[in-house]
Amino acid sequence: MQVHARISSEWRRRMIFLGAMIWGSALWFAYDGYIAWPAEESRYQTLVELTADSIEEGDKITDKNPVVKQAWQTYAAQNDLKSKVPKHRSEGDLTGQRGAAGVIAVIGFIFTAWVLLQHRRSVRAEGETITGASGEQVDFDSIVDMDRHKWETKGIAYAIYLKDGKKKRLCLDDHKFIGCEAIILEAEKRIADRSPETEAASET
């Protein structure tokens, strides 16, 4: 048998989607922490100056205060700025956003490196030997059973084989490595051919 099961297009698309979500989140937090929120804090400080003489001490400078809202909208219209009343963005707020961006970026780098490494893997069947994604080698004749309980939902089967008198499992993931099903079917055929019922039928 000669089969080379490589990374599937469907798995690759899913990883691209997940990667886009991770990096998109990192960029979102970074944009807020380094650009959007510092700019908003600058506008807020301008608002503080605009309303210094018009609101009582202790009153909050928010869009719920009609005096604050009116003062800002007038100023914004005159200076071509957003009419939305800016919020106070403290150093702690900025640090939090930047920290989140950094953490997610680290996750993004790890995830990207992992995906690239996965593309160097494959599952092969050459002659009488299966080479798994992690490099383990299993002879077809050592496979005694096939576990398909994850097949319908995830496209994964496990070849149960004997090594040194112990049962072990070889993962055959047809969702990730397209072409594994041919290996699974061949292994199941050989298991069936070795079954007592098959042997009895061939003798008669």
Side-chain angles (χ1 to χ4, degrees):
M1 185 180 196
Q2 193 77 19
V3 175
H4 190 186
R6 300 176 184 271
I7 290 290
S8 70
S9 298
E10 184 179 352
W11 186 86
R12 187 181 296 115
R13 284 194 297 270
R14 181 176 291 185
M15 293 305 105
I16 290 173
F17 175 74
L18 290 174
M21 288 183 62
I22 293 171
W23 283 110
S25 297
L27 290 173
W28 183 282
F29 279 102
Y31 176 76
D32 278 348
Y34 289 99
I35 299 175
W37 284 17
E40 186 172 19
E41 176 60 18
S42 177
R43 295 194 301 273
Y44 177 81
Q45 292 302 325
T46 299
L47 178 59
V48 170
E49 295 176 4
L50 288 173
T51 58
D53 298 327
S54 57
I55 65 171
E56 296 182 6
E57 186 177 351
D59 284 354
K60 292 184 178 180
I61 303 176
T62 68
D63 57 358
K64 294 182 180 180
N65 188 318
V67 175
V68 171
K69 188 172 183 178
Q70 181 60 48
W72 177 254
Q73 289 182 341
T74 300
Y75 178 81
Q78 293 172 349
N79 293 273
D80 195 25
L81 296 172
K82 294 180 180 179
S83 61
K84 184 179 179 181
V85 177
K87 295 180 180 180
H88 174 46
R89 304 296 184 180
S90 67
E91 280 300 316
D93 294 334
L94 300 182
T95 299
Q97 293 296 106
R98 294 166 184 173
V103 170
I104 298 173
V106 170
I107 294 172
F109 278 116
I110 294 172
F111 178 79
T112 301
W114 177 78
V115 170
L116 292 175
L117 285 173
Q118 295 308 301
H119 279 74
R120 299 177 62 181
R121 295 186 171 193
S122 62
V123 178
R124 293 175 180 268
E126 298 174 303
E128 298 298 309
T129 304
I130 305 169
T131 302
S134 298
E136 64 270 55
Q137 293 190 326
V138 178
D139 291 336
F140 273 105
D141 288 341
S142 69
I143 299 174
V144 296
D145 195 11
M146 190 66 64
D147 179 356
R148 279 183 178 256
H149 77 276
K150 291 186 178 180
W151 182 256
E152 293 298 328
T153 57
K154 296 184 177 181
I156 297 174
Y158 296 95
I160 312 301
Y161 65 98
L162 294 176
K163 184 175 182 180
D164 300 328
K166 296 180 179 179
K167 286 187 176 182
K168 296 191 174 183
R169 299 197 312 171
L170 174 66
C171 181
L172 297 172
D173 187 343
D174 192 67
H175 169 71
K176 184 175 180 179
F177 300 104
I178 192 70
C180 278
E181 187 174 15
I183 300 173
I184 295 167
L185 292 173
E186 176 65 18
E188 288 178 331
K189 177 180 177 297
R190 296 189 183 209
I191 293 169
D193 289 344
R194 295 196 303 268
S195 69
E197 294 81 0
T198 303
E199 292 178 357
S202 63
E203 290 175 359
T204 58

